[in-house]
Amino acid sequence: MKTVDLIRKKRDGEKLSRDEIQFLIDGYVGGKIPDYQVSALLMSIYFRGMDDQETAILTDVMAHSGTMLDLSKMKGFPVDKHSTGGVGDTTSLVLIPLLAAAGLTVAKLSGRSLGHTGGTIDKLESIPGFRTDLSREEFLGLVERTGLALADHTADMVPADRLLYELRNVTSTVDSLPLIVSSIMSKKIAGGARGIVIDVKTGSGAFLKKLEESRHLAQALVAIGVHLGRKISALITDMSQPLGRMVGNALEVREAIATLKGNGPKDLEDLCCALGAELVLFSGEISDHSQAVEHLRSLLHDDSALKKFVQMVENQGGNPAVVDDLGLLPTASKKVQIMAPRSGVVRDLDALSIGRAANLLGAGRFTKDDVIDPAVGIEVVRKVSEHADKGEPVAILYVNNQANEEQAKSMVLQAYTIADKEVNAPKLIVERVTGD
Ligand code: URA
Ligand code: CA
């Protein structure tokens, strides 16, 4: 086989076989095929696309390019959740212990914040002592004994995705559906889960802003998961405004703890129960959808999920006393209230602007090497459909470094549109995409 022939084949819109895809991925990961040839291949895929079968093969081959986790011996049904990324999206912090409390196995590999969206690793690392750099043995040992653990992605897993993603970034081939789908799903497949739920965000704070694009991605992710024998569904959910009320690392840990005590914001609780219900149904423990939702809700209100959270924090070296004393979490030195410029109803609260403003305060990274400040962020006191009174706070900035305070302040103010007419809150769960 020659790489140049396979590039030509894809350039001309033909389908690549499993052997051919295997040859290309092995060659690239093994350093035998140079970047310039893979760049041409990626651009050919960008223009010619791949059908579901071809994308499923690419996904499978990528997943097998490194270590695969075997969770088949674990007691509970192994599940995973993926979000395409949102602003103030605290669901993983709640879902990991909630699913474990429901008896499922959660071996969660996660990433750090990049761009305007947060990462679960950064959020949980704001708990003093919490470690995510677990060895493979330590990680799997915790999962086996306690049903849950969270670790950073390691270099030995899915090296093909890491290499391809870097190359896509510099060849303008990131936004190709088969490349996005294979990138996301290869990591889920390598992670060993049998049941997968994908939270595909839609709206200004999402990676894909238009519903139609989000729907295409959701359908493609589900189709590829089904091809590879996984139980999988996707929820398309609103990201036109931030989820919950807190945006920022330690602030979101506080919000997650409140939710695990049954006192969280309703949208966050509802989304966690809806995403979790998909996985509970896949496990076969419960067969009725609304029963699954209510079961999960009860685990948030009877401290079962909170207990699993405490156990996870203890297991990973963190101080479990944070759940009773939120003052143990990093706290910003200054709170700045943003006042409503007029009285009325919040008609729009632009998620992207809030995410960017939180980043400016130091909650996120602009480049991979930036250091985040876990204490800072934004509380959205008023959300869409809620009344605001002139001179009362609509949002609060949590600030440590005052350098960007003024810019963040004006961004948050501009994120709000306050009008006279009553409006409804946006629908949280826009669509459900299933594999059948
Ligand atoms: N997230 C991923 O992991 N990969 C992509 O290609 C896009 C989003
Ligand atoms: Ca939040």
Side-chain angles (χ1 to χ4, degrees), residues 165 168 180 183-184 187:
Y165 199 80
R168 286 164 60 203
I180 295 169
S183 168
I184 293 173
K187 287 172 279 195

Side-chain angles (χ1 to χ4, degrees), residues 87-90 242-247 252 255 265 268:
V87 176
D89 181 6
T90 320
L243 186 66
R245 303 227 176 236
M246 297 296 191
V247 180
E252 290 186 47
E255 187 164 61
L268 179 58

Side-chain angles (χ1 to χ4, degrees), residues 69 71 74 106-110 131-152 154 157 191 315-316:
L69 294 192
L71 303 177
M74 299 293 172
V106 194
K108 185 90 184 111
L109 297 169
S110 201
R131 288 174 41 235
T132 58
D133 59 340
L134 309 178
S135 71
R136 186 59 25 84
E137 295 69 38
E138 200 179 359
F139 177 68
L140 291 175
L142 287 175
V143 174
E144 190 168 2
R145 274 184 282 116
T146 65
L148 80 173
L150 169 80
D152 208 345
T154 49
M157 290 188 70
N315 286 343
Q316 302 197 205

